[in-house]
Amino acid sequence: MNAAYDFLVGPFASYAFMQRALLGSVLLSLSSCPVGVFLMLRRMSLTGDAMAHAILPGAAVGFLLYGLEIVPMTIGGLIAGMIVALGAGAVSRLTVQREDASMAAFYLISLALGVLLVSMRGSSVDLMHVLFGTVLALTDDALWLIASVCLVTAVTVTVFWRALVAECLDPLFLRSVSRLGTPTHFIFLALVVLNLVGGFQALGTLLAVGLMMLPAAAARFWTTHIGPMVAVAILIGVASSVAGLLLSYHAELPSGPAIILSAGVIYAASILAAPRGAFRGRVRVHRHRTA
C-alpha cells in the first residue's frame, strides 16, 4: 500500500512543481479536449496541427523583443494564429485552392519563420522551450493564462453548443436556417487558436495539439454521441496527464512527450478494446452476419 502511494501520489504530494504541472495539464485537458472533438467531427484534425505551427512566428517575435515572458509571447501567438487562419480562409475563398492546401502552405511558412526568428537570438535551449514547452516549470502567470483559456472555452462551448453540433453534422443546413453558421465557424477557429496558445506554455507549439487531438480521437471509439464523447475525451486527457507526469518523474523522461505518448497508448488501446474499435467492432459485425 505504501509503495503504491509513493509511486502514484507521492510525487504530487511532495513537490510543488508536480502539483503545478498537474493543475496546468488538467486545465488544458478540460479546455482543449472538447475543442479537439469538434475538430475531429468536422474532419479538421490536421487543421489543429497546422494552427499549432502557425502561432510560432508570433511567439518568436514576443521572445525576440521580451525574452521568455508569457504575455508578449501569448499576444504574439494569438495574432499570428489569427492571421494564418484568416489568410488561409481568404485564399480558399478567393482562389481555386482548397482550405487544407492553403492552410498547409501557411503553416509550413510559419514554422520555418518561427524557428528562424528564435534561432536569431536564442540558444538551442530556448528553441526547445518554445517548441516543446516546460510543463514542469509552469509559473503563476502561465497557470492563470491556462485557467482563463479554460474558462473562456467552457463558456463559449456552452453558449454555442447547439450551433457547434449543428455545424459538425450539417453546416449547409445551419447556414440555411440561421445566421449563426459563419460566425460559429470563426468563433470556433478562435477557440482553436486560443487553446493552442494556452497549450504551448506547457507543451510547446509542436506538442500542444497532441493533448487536443489524441484524447478526442480515442473517445470516438467509445461512443457515438457528442456529449459523452466530450466527457470521455476529457477523462482520457486527464488520465494521460497524470500518467505522463508520473512516467516523467519516475523514468526521468521529458514531461511533455511523456504526456502525449501516454495519450497515444490510450489511443492504441482504444483501437483494440473499445466498443467501436477494430477487434470488438469486427466481432459485432461477424455476429450480425451469422445471425
Side-chain angles (χ1 to χ4, degrees), residues 187-243:
I187 288 171
F188 177 70
L189 286 180
L191 278 184
V192 174
V193 174
L194 191 65
N195 277 272
L196 290 173
V197 169
F200 106 87
Q201 300 295 336
L203 299 173
T205 57
L206 296 186
L207 295 180
V209 70
L211 193 60
M212 180 180 289
M213 295 311 308
L214 280 172
R220 185 72 181 269
F221 293 112
W222 293 96
T223 180
T224 58
H225 301 287
I226 297 178
M229 195 180 299
V230 169
V232 172
I234 291 174
L235 289 175
I236 292 174
V238 172
S240 302
S241 299
V242 174

Side-chain angles (χ1 to χ4, degrees), residues 36-175:
V37 169
F38 285 111
L39 271 175
M40 178 187 61
L41 294 177
R42 289 164 174 249
R43 298 182 180 179
M44 295 172 61
S45 299
L46 291 179
T47 300
D49 185 52
M51 295 307 300
H53 295 79
I55 67 176
L56 183 56
V61 171
F63 169 76
L64 283 176
L65 296 176
Y66 298 97
L68 292 172
E69 294 290 336
I70 185 170
V71 174
M73 293 180 69
T74 298
I75 294 174
L78 280 172
I79 294 173
M82 292 300 180
I83 289 174
V84 169
L86 294 175
V91 169
S92 66
R93 283 164 175 77
L94 298 176
T95 69
V96 297
Q97 193 168 63
R98 294 179 58 181
E99 188 170 14
D100 59 341
S102 60
M103 185 71 74
F106 271 81
Y107 102 75
L108 288 170
I109 295 169
S110 299
L111 177 61
L113 179 60
V115 172
L116 180 64
L117 288 172
V118 175
S119 301
M120 287 172 59
R121 173 179 167 181
S123 64
S124 59
V125 175
D126 295 323
L127 181 60
M128 293 292 287
H129 172 90
V130 173
L131 293 179
F132 298 105
T134 52
V135 68
L136 294 180
L138 291 176
T139 63
D140 289 339
D141 290 339
L143 287 175
W144 277 112
L145 171 65
I146 295 171
S148 300
V149 170
C150 183
L151 178 61
V152 171
T153 301
V155 171
T156 305
V157 169
T158 301
V159 172
F160 291 94
W161 176 265
R162 295 183 65 182
L164 289 169
V165 172
E167 196 183 22
C168 285
L169 300 177
D170 195 341
L172 295 179
F173 173 76
L174 176 63
R175 292 172 187 175

